Amino acid sequence: MPKAKYPPIFDGHNDTILEILRGRNFFEKSDKGHIDLPRAQKGGLGGGFFAVFVPSPRPMAGWPGLNSNPDGSYHIPLPDPLEHRYARDFATKALRKLFALETDSKGAVKIVRTADELAQCLDDGTFAMILHFEGVEAIDTNLDSLHVFYQAGLRSVGITWSRPNAFGYGVPFAFPLGPDTGPGLTDAGKALVKECNQLGIMIDLSHLNEKGFWDVAELSNAPLVATHSNAHALAATPRNLTDKQLDAVKESGGIVGINYHIGFLRKDGRSDQETSYAEIVRHAAYIADRIGIDHVGLGSDFDGATMPQDLKDAAGLPKLMDALKEHGFDKKALKKIAHGNWVRVLKKTWR
Ligand SMILES: [Zn+2]
């Protein structure tokens, strides 16, 4: 087998499970969406966090469409909270589908549960999936199901997907706006952080509002992680992290996965199709300059957002690696960005 040009990429966030539930065959190359196994292999994508995201029964108007106001500003109201049982049933169905996919892959895909398994997969080319809940509505506030889902393989949770729930409050989809948009974690949210620490489940801060972020920073003994967020200084959406938040990520030994969604990359916040993956490099460079290369990873948001036109999908990742290299990241730095930092953080978090 020819040696790959770049180290395998491990990615902080995708919404591909939703597409698989809607009928995408993961083993066949498609032109739709962003990830299937052939395109992942072509682009050097070795795996990632696979999000179980429970869609609201009524779709959210305006996402991820174009900005509504002529001056480029927008504010999309969040959908209503989800009912726990509805979310639990959806999540259970999603997990069943993913376990079946793992079986059908005959060894090509593995749902990884330890950092050693992840490192092994990246080494031998087995496609690695980490089970992630984007919003924890499927978990009851007694946390009983957290333990059950952990046993099934859950290794990462985002406390909210923007939509409020029993555990906390997320940021709206808006521009320009800061992330301080509401109250912090509820008591159930605080208990969840402690329980996740104890079990070894990663807590994802993307989508959480600023007070919730600081609550986790205070309570958690694990590195702080934002799986798919960018620098607020470069694109003023509350989905991105302020400099102070970035500094806290560094302090904790954590990581930021750079999100490729054009609206979270661009200075003007516009979801303009004419956006280039050079914008991804701009955010990676800013965060590396501010808090160091050890805290930069990738967090595409593939299959959940609008990609830069010239990147297109997972098969386009070598172009992004070329651009990161051209920017001046050396071989060692590229390996850290590609997967090294993720593996380090997960080793520390999962124990
Ligand atoms: Zn997201």
Side-chain angles (χ1 to χ4, degrees):
M1 217 163 68
K3 204 174 163 342
K5 193 172 169 194
Y6 294 112
I9 291 169
F10 185 78
D11 187 80
H13 188 88
N14 70 63
D15 289 299
T16 305
I17 292 178
L18 212 50
E19 296 308 316
I20 292 167
L21 282 169
R22 287 171 181 157
R24 180 181 302 166
N25 182 340
F26 191 69
F27 305 111
E28 270 175 24
K29 189 184 173 303
S30 167
D31 288 329
K32 294 199 182 74
H34 307 130
I35 301 182
D36 48 47
L37 196 56
R39 282 184 288 178
Q41 284 166 341
K42 187 164 181 230
L45 178 65
F49 287 82
F50 276 64
V52 174
F53 165 73
V54 185
S56 290
R58 266 172 302 150
M60 190 167 79
W63 170 260
L66 299 170
N67 304 324
S68 41
N69 303 321
D71 65 354
S73 69
Y74 66 93
H75 194 124
I76 303 170
L78 289 170
D80 295 336
L82 285 182
E83 198 212 328
H84 162 63
R85 288 178 62 171
Y86 172 84
R88 184 200 60 198
D89 290 354
F90 187 95
T92 310
K93 192 190 286 292
L95 293 195
R96 175 184 174 180
K97 190 86 180 169
L98 213 63
F99 294 138
L101 186 152
E102 185 187 33
T103 305
D104 292 345
S105 82
K106 300 189 171 57
V109 172
K110 183 173 173 63
I111 296 170
V112 298
R113 292 166 170 82
T114 68
D116 285 344
E117 284 177 355
L118 173 58
Q120 179 65 41
C121 284
L122 291 171
D123 194 51
D124 68 19
T126 305
F127 189 81
M129 292 180 171
I130 294 174
L131 285 184
H132 168 76
F133 279 1
E134 184 169 34
V136 290
E137 288 95 338
I139 292 164
D140 64 279
T141 49
N142 295 323
L143 306 180
D144 293 333
S145 48
L146 181 74
H147 284 255
V148 175
F149 284 126
Y150 174 81
Q151 290 299 334
L154 183 69
R155 290 295 179 275
S156 170
V157 296
I159 297 176
T160 75
W161 169 81
S162 287
R163 194 173 40 198
N165 62 35
F167 300 88
Y169 303 86
V171 288
F173 297 93
F175 185 92
L177 189 69
D180 189 9
T181 59
L185 298 183
T186 64
D187 287 345
K190 289 175 182 169
L192 174 71
V193 171
K194 290 283 177 199
E195 207 75 1
C196 284
N197 277 173
Q198 222 148 51
L199 283 166
I201 294 179
M202 195 188 89
I203 296 159
D204 174 18
L205 296 158
S206 291
H207 287 279
L208 199 58
N209 68 13
E210 191 175 354
K211 286 198 177 68
F213 178 102
W214 294 119
D215 281 342
V216 175
E218 197 187 308
L219 289 166
S220 177
N221 61 21
L224 298 179
V225 175
T227 60
H228 58 308
S229 292
N230 297 329
H232 192 272
L234 301 188
T237 156
R239 279 284 287 101
N240 291 342
L241 301 170
T242 64
D243 286 348
K244 250 181 96 177
Q245 289 177 309
L246 290 174
D247 295 345
V249 169
K250 175 198 172 90
E251 188 91 351
S252 72
I255 185 171
V256 178
I258 307 287
N259 189 315
Y260 309 168
H261 174 59
I262 52 181
F264 301 159
L265 290 167
R266 292 172 61 97
K267 200 175 171 44
D268 62 10
R270 286 181 188 268
S271 287
D272 185 338
Q273 290 285 347
E274 302 274 302
T275 303
S276 164
Y277 55 78
E279 293 283 330
I280 301 170
V281 179
R282 202 167 71 92
H283 282 265
Y286 179 89
I287 295 175
D289 284 348
R290 171 116 197 152
I291 63 173
I293 190 67
D294 288 338
H295 309 289
V296 181
L298 299 175
S300 64
D301 219 343
F302 277 145
D303 286 318
T306 311
M307 295 296 121
Q309 201 174 37
D310 52 2
L311 182 75
K312 200 166 176 274
D313 57 21
L317 285 168
K319 288 187 281 188
L320 174 60
M321 294 302 284
D322 285 343
L324 288 164
K325 189 178 168 187
E326 270 160 38
H327 172 80
F329 290 116
D330 63 14
K331 218 173 148 188
K332 225 171 120 187
L334 288 177
K335 192 174 174 189
K336 286 180 176 184
I337 296 174
H339 67 256
N341 291 333
W342 276 121
V343 174
R344 182 199 79 236
V345 165
L346 288 170
K347 258 190 185 135
K348 192 107 198 271
T349 306
W350 288 350
R351 276 173 274 267

